[in-house]
Amino acid sequence: MRIMKRFEEGLIGMGIIVATFVLFVNIVLRYFFQANTTWAEEFIRYVMIWITFIGASVCFSRGLHVGIDFFLEYLSSRWKLLFGIFVNIVSIIFMIFLLFYGIELVKFSVNSGQITPSLQIKMYWIYLGIPVGATLSIIHLLVNTFSRIKDFMYQSQSMQTEENQK
Amino acid sequence: MIILLMVLIFFFLFTSTPIFVAMGIASFLTVIFLTDINPMILIQRLFGGIDQFALMALPFFILAANIMEVGGLSSRILRWSRALVGHITGGVAMTTQVSSMFFGALSGSSPATVVAIGKIMYPEMIRGKYDKWFSAGLLASAGSVSLIIPPSITLIIFGSVTGVSVGSLFIAGIGAGIIYGISSMIYIYLYARKHHLPKDPKASKGELWGATKKAAWALLIPVIILGGIYSGIFTPTEAGGVSAVYALIISFFVYKEMNLKKFYKVCVDSAVLTAQVLVLVSAAQVLGWMLTRGQVPQAIATWITTNVDTAFVFLIILNIVLLILGMFMEGVAAIIIVAPLIYPTALAMGIDPVHLGVIMISNLAIGMYTPPFGINIFVTQGITNMKMGEMMPGILRFFVCNVIALIIITYIPDASLFLLKIIG
């Protein structure tokens, strides 16, 4: 798990550095040397798309996705855990949709042989970010769900022992 | 179809599902069960929603803001603001408001502004005998101004959704942001005078000059951004990249508060934050596409043209709807869904497209700190350890001030557009 996290973070961290560098060099080239690169813009867009889908998975592992947890404040910790598990399952289902139809899109693009306008690379390399990101997200979500279920079991158990003691 | 979609979204939102998952899964379930559309199209929309160069301004401005925070640029802005306004009645609170405005001019992220300013200024305000509810309300509302002041992420998104020039939106945002900020400052002044709160001694010319000199490198950033975009040297997206590189050079070589280890962490955090916002953008695009397929824009347009006959009334309705929407929805998602719905109708009513953008963003700025779902409230809670209920008196008072500012922004177009007219 640690290695996977490191890898994801390294990938998107480097991604944003490289994108910034390309963007900056492109401005310098254009402004001082009148040399216009058309591929820079495309490159940056595709890097950001990969960052988005890999980063979404990091957000799951760090619990950063913006949600409305206002109503949860009023629930007991037991119910909070249950809701957390429910939300994880919903998220996993969504990610399975992304994975499944993402692969469909990749397959579709492989068959049609789409290439990008200025970089001239195969379009499926870019679409591939979606199923890859979804897979990573599912792994994080599963790990998180199991630890929550364990917490939940532990809590129920300790509640029972308390009752027994009474 | 639309009804099922809405029911599903609200159901998932209330169970605290992440917003982008709620929008996404509701769209998928609706398409799979109610239509014979291939769900692969939704993936294409998801992808197409973020495959736009204008949107790429967002990661670069996020990166720039994070570099400034870690590299010591924001703390210098804070000290400078204090030297500038600390001696006015309500000095500490004034400093909070003014530095939020300047910080907004650097970063464009509202919760980030609350954290950066709040961590330093909240303890100062408590020490200065400001009421806790007042300080918390101020923090939450002051941060929201960064939604309006350029470079604002929400303005960029409004521009990319509607095709309105981001440069013009930025210029108009300055005027609107100042009005918005002043409305809060008037209340701060009255409050501080009533409670006889202490103020700083007036900074001497030398002190002010010293603080200005230290902050000068940071204060140059808005000038570079706006000047560069407006003179056509670079696009808004490139401006983001330039300010990131600039901030990096300053923090490495001038302020010397940056090192490689910190820089790496900043990059990772920026990329994560980018993803957090962009997944929301892409899921909102999917939802927007669903609404268009369900003919919702047409329905709204017909309703407006049959029931509303003047721009005046239209703007009242727009403001009320947006204020309510802002309470429940995050700014970025709200813009993506609402802007395309009302843009054509608003134009037909004779409303200036730039003005419309500023009005929408001002509304959503207020929505950043209105309960139940204003993100700034949660961030402020994190800093102050207060319950939402305890903060309410403060939130409410600043809400009233900002709504007055909103009315001015809405009905005096020149208040925000005059700078554009000067520049031509």
Side-chain angles (χ1 to χ4, degrees):
Chain A
M1 272 326 273
R2 283 271 299 266
I3 299 170
M4 182 173 135
K5 250 189 200 164
R6 281 261 175 79
F7 176 72
E8 286 172 340
E9 289 177 352
L11 205 64
I12 59 176
M14 287 311 288
I16 204 163
I17 296 175
V18 172
T20 313
F21 180 73
V22 168
L23 182 75
F24 191 72
V25 168
N26 189 41
I27 301 169
V28 173
L29 282 180
R30 187 184 61 218
Y31 195 67
F32 293 103
F33 304 99
Q34 274 77 41
N36 213 345
T37 48
T38 49
W39 57 268
E41 188 188 313
E42 208 178 274
F43 176 78
I44 290 162
R45 264 185 0 238
Y46 296 149
V47 169
M48 288 303 171
I49 284 166
W50 268 83
I51 288 181
T52 303
F53 289 102
I54 306 279
S57 147
V58 179
C59 285
F60 274 120
S61 79
R62 294 191 184 180
L64 278 178
H65 280 299
V66 193
I68 296 163
D69 38 16
F70 175 66
F71 300 102
L72 292 193
E73 305 258 309
Y74 298 98
L75 297 174
S76 68
S77 64
R78 238 173 104 74
W79 276 102
K80 257 189 219 167
L81 267 173
L82 270 183
F83 264 95
I85 293 167
F86 171 76
V87 166
N88 275 358
I89 292 170
V90 171
S91 306
I92 290 173
I93 296 173
F94 178 56
M95 285 300 152
I96 291 174
F97 279 141
L98 285 194
L99 177 62
F100 182 76
Y101 293 109
I103 291 175
E104 291 278 291
L105 185 63
V106 171
K107 272 200 253 167
F108 174 78
S109 156
V110 169
N111 290 333
S112 67
Q114 250 179 317
I115 49 170
T116 67
S118 38
L119 284 170
Q120 302 282 319
I121 49 171
K122 291 276 192 301
M123 195 65 198
Y124 60 79
W125 281 110
I126 294 124
Y127 288 143
L128 203 58
I130 300 175
V132 170
T135 311
L136 293 171
S137 299
I138 292 172
I139 296 172
H140 282 302
L141 283 164
L142 281 177
V143 170
N144 185 281
T145 311
F146 281 124
S147 83
R148 275 174 202 248
I149 290 176
K150 231 163 64 190
D151 283 353
F152 185 75
M153 303 287 240
Y154 179 75
Q155 243 188 23
S156 330
Q157 226 169 38
S158 61
M159 272 167 78
Q160 255 177 7
T161 44
E162 257 172 54
E163 269 169 31
N164 288 347
Q165 277 167 358
K166 277 175 196 167
Chain B
M1 173 175 126
I2 296 299
I3 296 171
L4 176 72
L5 184 69
M6 286 297 146
V7 170
L8 282 174
I9 288 179
F10 275 100
F11 169 72
F12 287 125
L13 284 184
F14 278 84
T15 57
S16 83
T17 310
I19 297 171
F20 92 97
V21 173
M23 292 194 286
I25 198 166
S27 306
F28 267 99
L29 290 176
T30 313
V31 162
I32 292 170
F33 288 118
L34 284 190
T35 67
D36 43 14
I37 305 168
N38 183 351
M40 197 177 88
I41 291 181
L42 294 183
I43 300 276
Q44 273 171 336
R45 299 304 313 170
L46 202 74
F47 179 87
I50 50 172
D51 188 19
Q52 297 169 28
F53 192 59
L55 269 184
M56 298 308 140
L58 210 141
F60 295 119
F61 278 121
I62 290 176
L63 178 65
N66 281 341
I67 293 175
M68 288 175 219
E69 162 90 56
V70 176
L73 279 79
S74 19
S75 60
R76 282 173 180 80
I77 290 276
L78 203 85
R79 256 172 261 150
W80 176 73
S81 309
R82 184 144 196 186
L84 199 67
V85 294
H87 63 276
I88 305 174
T89 306
V92 188
M94 290 285 182
T95 308
T96 308
Q97 179 67 40
V98 170
S99 56
S100 291
M101 286 163 77
F102 276 102
F103 193 74
L106 304 179
S107 87
S109 159
S110 188
T113 309
V114 176
V115 174
I117 308 290
K119 267 192 297 200
I120 304 169
M121 291 313 288
Y122 180 71
E124 292 276 318
M125 285 196 281
I126 297 303
R127 212 172 301 139
K129 303 234 163 17
Y130 287 81
D131 286 315
K132 279 179 92 177
W133 57 262
F134 176 88
S135 315
L138 173 61
L139 267 190
S141 71
S144 70
V145 78
S146 61
L147 231 72
I148 312 175
I149 290 187
S152 137
I153 292 170
T154 9
L155 280 175
I156 294 169
I157 289 175
F158 179 84
S160 84
V161 173
T162 59
V164 177
S165 142
V166 174
S168 305
L169 285 168
F170 275 7
I171 301 285
I174 301 175
I178 290 174
I179 295 171
Y180 191 89
I182 288 178
S183 72
S184 297
M185 285 161 79
I186 291 174
Y187 173 61
I188 295 171
Y189 180 82
L190 295 175
Y191 169 88
R193 210 180 54 174
K194 189 173 146 206
H195 295 269
H196 305 288
L197 291 169
K199 44 189 170 185
D200 293 353
K202 195 171 166 56
S204 73
K205 277 224 176 81
E207 281 167 359
L208 185 59
W209 176 239
T212 311
K213 230 169 44 185
K214 281 198 188 114
W217 290 107
L219 290 171
L220 252 168
I221 291 175
V223 180
I224 296 175
I225 294 174
L226 290 175
I229 295 175
Y230 223 74
S231 61
I233 298 175
F234 36 71
T235 63
T237 304
E238 290 170 341
V242 169
S243 66
V245 172
Y246 175 85
L248 189 65
I249 293 171
I250 298 298
S251 52
F252 254 116
F253 299 111
V254 182
Y255 293 158
K256 299 195 174 72
E257 287 185 22
M258 184 64 93
N259 55 43
L260 278 176
K261 206 174 155 200
K262 276 188 190 167
F263 176 59
Y264 176 71
K265 194 174 170 299
V266 163
C267 286
V268 174
D269 287 346
S270 307
V272 171
L273 191 61
T274 299
Q276 194 189 339
V277 181
L278 283 184
V279 285
L280 208 61
V281 171
S282 72
Q285 300 266 20
V286 172
L287 184 60
W289 182 80
M290 296 286 291
L291 293 179
T292 314
R293 271 199 74 95
Q295 311 253 314
V296 175
Q298 289 87 332
I300 291 177
T302 330
W303 186 87
I304 292 173
T305 38
T306 46
N307 291 298
V308 182
D309 37 13
T310 59
F312 188 85
V313 180
F314 173 75
L315 286 174
I316 294 178
I317 297 174
L318 180 67
N319 277 328
I320 293 172
V321 169
L322 285 174
L323 277 178
I324 296 171
L325 200 70
M327 292 178 186
F328 293 93
M329 228 175 172
E330 208 269 336
V332 173
I335 284 285
I336 293 170
I337 292 163
V338 178
L341 294 185
I342 57 138
Y343 185 71
T345 322
L347 250 54
M349 288 267 171
I351 296 164
D352 184 288
V354 176
H355 187 213
L356 177 73
V358 173
I359 295 172
M360 287 195 68
I361 271 80
S362 307
N363 269 296
L364 296 171
I366 295 176
M368 292 302 294
Y369 71 89
T370 44
F373 305 139
I375 295 174
N376 285 9
I377 296 187
F378 304 126
V379 179
T380 309
Q381 276 179 319
I383 297 170
T384 62
N385 288 322
M386 286 168 78
K387 293 230 168 60
M388 199 187 276
E390 297 173 291
M391 289 163 54
M392 277 325 289
I395 302 267
L396 194 69
R397 284 172 174 81
F398 284 103
F399 176 76
V400 172
C401 301
N402 293 157
V403 166
I404 294 172
L406 176 64
I407 294 171
I408 297 173
I409 293 167
T410 307
Y411 288 108
I412 310 176
D414 276 343
S416 40
L417 300 183
F418 78 100
L419 267 175
L420 265 180
K421 285 184 183 151
I422 294 172
I423 300 172

